[in-house]
Amino acid sequence: MAFDTSTLKFDDNGLIPCIAQQDGTGEVLMMAWMNADAVTKTIETGRVTYWSRSRQSFWIKGETSGHTQKLIDLRLDCDNDCLLAIVDQVGAACHTNRRSCFYTSISGEEPVELMKPMT
């Protein structure tokens, strides 16, 4: 029996944020959006599938780049309005070719780049 996505709290556009985190290390990799069908596809296939707001279509992480996300676990937060995908990330998670999308620190006076693109 498949997970009942009607228990999730989607926004007015039918989307829910999903944070991807590396299995084992806890490294936060990225955030993207899912709709109900993307959640279902992710659970059924084990390949993390997001919804592209700009293209209005599904995108399976790594389908074109080869930088795949294998689903280890999909978790729901306490308010049912955010997902956490525990993944095995191969290669860069960010479209800038960095391991993580969260590569800039803004804690000081000026932003600081914490990691360079992968080679």
Side-chain angles (χ1 to χ4, degrees):
M1 184 172 175
F3 173 74
D4 180 7
T5 59
S6 70
T7 62
L8 300 176
K9 293 181 184 173
F10 295 95
D11 68 11
D12 292 341
N13 296 311
L15 302 174
I16 189 168
C18 180
I19 298 168
Q21 183 179 43
Q22 176 62 48
D23 183 45
T25 68
E27 178 184 22
V28 177
L29 301 169
M30 58 177 283
M31 191 289 288
W33 298 95
M34 290 183 169
N35 63 13
D37 289 338
V39 172
T40 300
K41 287 176 187 287
T42 295
I43 293 168
E44 288 177 352
T45 66
R47 295 187 64 200
V48 183
T49 303
Y50 298 105
W51 179 255
S52 170
R53 296 178 299 166
S54 60
R55 294 187 306 265
Q56 292 292 295
S57 64
F58 295 108
W59 58 282
I60 300 170
K61 184 66 176 165
E63 192 170 46
T64 56
S65 69
H67 299 164
T68 60
Q69 289 180 349
K70 177 185 171 194
L71 183 68
I72 304 300
D73 193 17
L74 191 60
R75 300 178 185 175
L76 181 59
D77 81 337
C78 58
D79 294 323
N80 289 10
D81 64 359
C82 188
L83 299 172
L84 176 66
I86 309 298
V87 302
D88 182 14
Q89 174 72 46
V90 173
C94 184
H95 74 278
T96 65
N97 206 38
R98 289 173 173 83
R99 175 76 182 163
S100 170
C101 293
F102 299 95
Y103 61 86
T104 304
S105 172
I106 58 170
S107 298
E109 292 180 21
E110 295 292 326
V112 175
E113 184 178 297
L114 303 174
M115 69 181 73
K116 299 288 182 194
M118 299 174 76
T119 56

